[in-house]
Amino acid sequence: MSSTEIKNFGIIGWPIGHSFSPKMYMAAFKDAGFNCYNYIPFPVRSGRLMLAVEGMKGLNFRGFNVTIPHKTDVMAYLDAVDADAVVIGAVNTVVNDGGMLTGYNTDVTGFLASLREANFKPDGCNAVILGAGGAARAVIWGLCKRRANSITIGARSFERAKKLADDFSVYSNVQGTEWTTEDFIYSMKRADILINTTPLGMFPSVDEMPPVDLKLLPDGALVYDVVYNPIRTKLLKTATELGYLAFPGLPMLLLQGKEAYRLFTGELPNLEIMRQVVDERIEGNL
């Protein structure tokens, strides 16, 4: 399908130079024949967020992505917010329909789709989440939607872990604790899946990993890392060496991007083209 109609898209965040999105979406647009579609990165400081959103509307951008640190604050400047994004408390994709801005969170869709790629069924599972930051929220909500049996959030800060657990405890059996407690160790021993949502191990700090004992996990457990750069983090390499299944964060990145592309265009992108662009960008960082 080709189009000669000019449509503009973008991404706002601070900083923004690290984002894979511009090249990823532009490659997908070109492959689809959307030769007049543009995707532009915009570095936006927190104090300028409202002006940036109004600017997107005023310039008739068809849509834009939102990244750190604006995913929560942007919600105040939108006309509507999707139900998933409301529960998660964050928006990463905004669509402009005739001047009406609607916010979505495609991370939860990407996460659940990636579990299907990993052949892991979250229904009734016992999950352990490492980290209590923003990246954990979409993961927890996805597990809640699929009716996980139990979700344990482990973090350095008990207060942050407990607060996050409290936000979701109305939907599922969610508890928060430090990752050194007996409760956390017990949860590790019965976990079907361990999910790292911390930045530990992300480029350039590739020799780092969360300070947990993977040997506590039962046989057959899946170790999932939302970090996608590098593709195989130290956590995943260690899990593989110990005989566990290991799954990287790259599919989640691509699949949430696929959903955002669908919201933007009404079409599905060529995921292989998007994957090639991301692979090249990651290899360039090595």
Side-chain angles (χ1 to χ4, degrees), residues 78-250:
L78 304 178
D79 301 297
V81 178
D82 176 72
D84 281 341
V86 170
V87 175
I88 295 167
V91 159
N92 72 344
T93 302
V94 178
V95 177
N96 180 4
D97 286 308
M100 180 173 178
L101 301 184
T102 302
Y104 300 87
N105 191 300
T106 65
D107 285 335
V108 64
T109 303
F111 171 64
L112 290 176
S114 71
L115 289 184
R116 289 192 290 274
E117 277 204 3
N119 294 315
F120 181 85
K121 295 182 179 180
D123 311 66
C125 76
N126 295 312
V128 172
I129 312 293
L130 303 179
R137 300 186 68 90
V139 168
I140 294 169
W141 178 232
L143 293 171
C144 289
K145 290 183 72 172
R146 291 297 300 270
R147 295 179 173 82
N149 180 59
S150 69
I151 302 169
T152 300
I153 304 164
R156 284 198 178 98
S157 167
F158 170 76
E159 289 75 17
R160 290 191 69 189
K162 185 177 185 308
K163 182 181 183 306
L164 182 56
D166 289 345
D167 288 346
F168 288 93
S169 60
V170 66
Y171 304 108
S172 187
N173 176 21
V174 187
Q175 64 168 332
T177 184
E178 293 178 73
W179 48 31
T180 56
T181 64
E182 288 298 321
D183 285 343
F184 180 77
I185 292 172
Y186 172 75
S187 296
M188 286 281 288
K189 290 179 177 179
R190 63 196 292 263
D192 299 301
I193 184 170
L194 173 73
I195 306 169
N196 175 46
T197 68
T198 78
L200 293 171
M202 182 184 294
F203 179 86
S205 302
V206 296
D207 293 325
E208 295 182 350
M209 64 177 280
V212 297
D213 185 1
L214 294 182
K215 295 176 183 177
L216 293 170
L217 294 170
D219 293 341
L222 173 66
V223 178
Y224 183 118
D225 199 335
V226 302
V227 172
Y228 54 82
N229 185 12
I231 296 175
R232 304 295 293 185
T233 60
K234 184 177 180 180
L235 177 70
L236 295 183
K237 290 177 181 178
T238 303
T240 300
E241 290 168 359
L242 292 173
Y244 296 107
L245 302 172
F247 195 77
L250 181 57

Side-chain angles (χ1 to χ4, degrees), residues 11-22 40-44 65-68 281:
I11 181 168
I12 59 175
W14 187 272
I16 202 64
H18 67 283
S19 176
F20 291 7
S21 294
I40 308 164
F42 292 98
V44 177
N65 293 117
V66 185
T67 189
I68 295 171
R281 179 72 181 270

